[in-house]
């Protein structure tokens, strides 16, 4: 053991250890058709950029199918709102170098938190909750067991691809 403690086990060993919590594993889960959803036309620019950035990866790991389109679109819209609110806050920070836009002053000289700070925090939490549904955070990924989209594909089985 070195000064930094024991070496962590390689990821492969952790996977091979099995179901350490002894919880029942899901069986006979419904499997939606493995169709790649199209981005909805109502996505704004930032939401569409986020869709384009993540959709193929999520589809390839099995966490995005046609039935998930609306919820993933909601995540993308939440991301877009959060990003715009952060940009608005940054513009205010450029104007007020002393408080960086985080604090505002009334006409009487009293200080109060910029309401945009609370808005940014609320939007970030909304985005995080939706992101977790798709495994977009490190801790959320530990909770997801995505199945192989080709596991039940007769053509893939016939040619030994699965």
């Amino acid at each position: 053991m070195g000064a930094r403690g024991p070496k962590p086990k390689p990821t492969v060993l952790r996977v091979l250890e099995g179901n350490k919590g002894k919880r029942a594993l899901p069986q006979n889960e419904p499997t939606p058709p493995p169709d790649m959803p199209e981005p909805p036309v109502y996505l704004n620019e930032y939401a569409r950029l986020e869709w384009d950035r993540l959709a193929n990866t999520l589809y390839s790991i099995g966490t995005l199918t046609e039935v998930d389109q609306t919820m993933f679109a909601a995540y993308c819209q939440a991301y877009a709102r959060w990003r715009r609110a952060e940009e608005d806050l940054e513009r205010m920070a450029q104007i007020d170098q002393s408080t960086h836009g985080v604090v505002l002053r009334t006409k009487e000289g009293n200080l109060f938190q910029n309401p945009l700070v609370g808005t940014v925090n609320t939007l970030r939490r909304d985005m995080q909750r939706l992101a977790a549904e798709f495994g977009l955070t490190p801790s959320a990924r530990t909770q997801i067991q995505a199945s192989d989209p080709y596991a039940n594909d007769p053509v893939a089985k016939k040619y030994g691809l699965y």
Side-chain angles (χ1 to χ4, degrees):
M1 201 176 347
R4 296 182 188 200
K7 284 182 147 180
K9 293 180 183 178
T11 303
V12 173
L13 290 179
R14 278 189 257 139
V15 171
L16 294 177
E17 288 176 355
N19 183 3
K20 293 176 81 174
K22 308 291 187 225
R23 290 176 291 218
L25 297 176
Q27 294 184 10
N28 302 321
E29 292 180 52
T31 306
D35 299 330
M36 172 71 167
E38 292 294 320
V41 295
Y42 56 80
L43 294 180
N44 65 39
E45 180 185 0
Y46 284 148
R48 179 59 194 262
L49 287 171
E50 186 70 350
W51 180 287
D52 292 342
R53 184 177 78 85
L54 294 172
N56 284 331
T57 301
L58 294 177
Y59 175 73
S60 70
I61 64 172
T63 60
L64 179 61
T65 66
E66 189 69 35
V67 298
D68 306 311
Q69 179 195 46
T70 302
M71 194 54 54
F72 185 57
Y75 159 76
C76 292
Q77 290 287 74
Y79 165 81
R81 280 189 218 95
W82 168 78
R83 183 169 168 181
R84 283 195 173 134
E86 285 285 3
E87 289 174 352
D88 291 344
L89 191 56
E90 183 58 31
R91 277 192 290 281
M92 294 181 85
Q94 297 303 316
I95 294 168
D96 183 359
Q97 296 291 316
S98 64
T99 66
H100 306 288
V102 175
V103 176
L104 300 177
R105 188 178 302 274
T106 65
K107 290 179 185 177
E108 295 79 28
N110 298 319
L111 298 175
F112 67 99
Q113 179 180 321
N114 184 341
L116 194 51
V117 172
T119 300
V120 164
N121 290 334
T122 299
L123 292 171
R124 178 188 40 77
R125 283 189 295 272
D126 290 347
M127 182 181 64
Q128 282 178 302
R129 277 192 295 274
L130 289 164
E133 294 292 323
F134 294 94
L136 295 176
T137 65
S139 62
R141 279 191 293 279
T142 66
Q143 305 301 313
I144 292 178
Q145 290 189 350
S147 62
D148 186 337
Y150 301 106
N152 296 318
D153 184 346
V155 175
K157 284 183 179 181
K158 179 178 179 179
Y159 293 103
L161 301 175
Y162 182 77

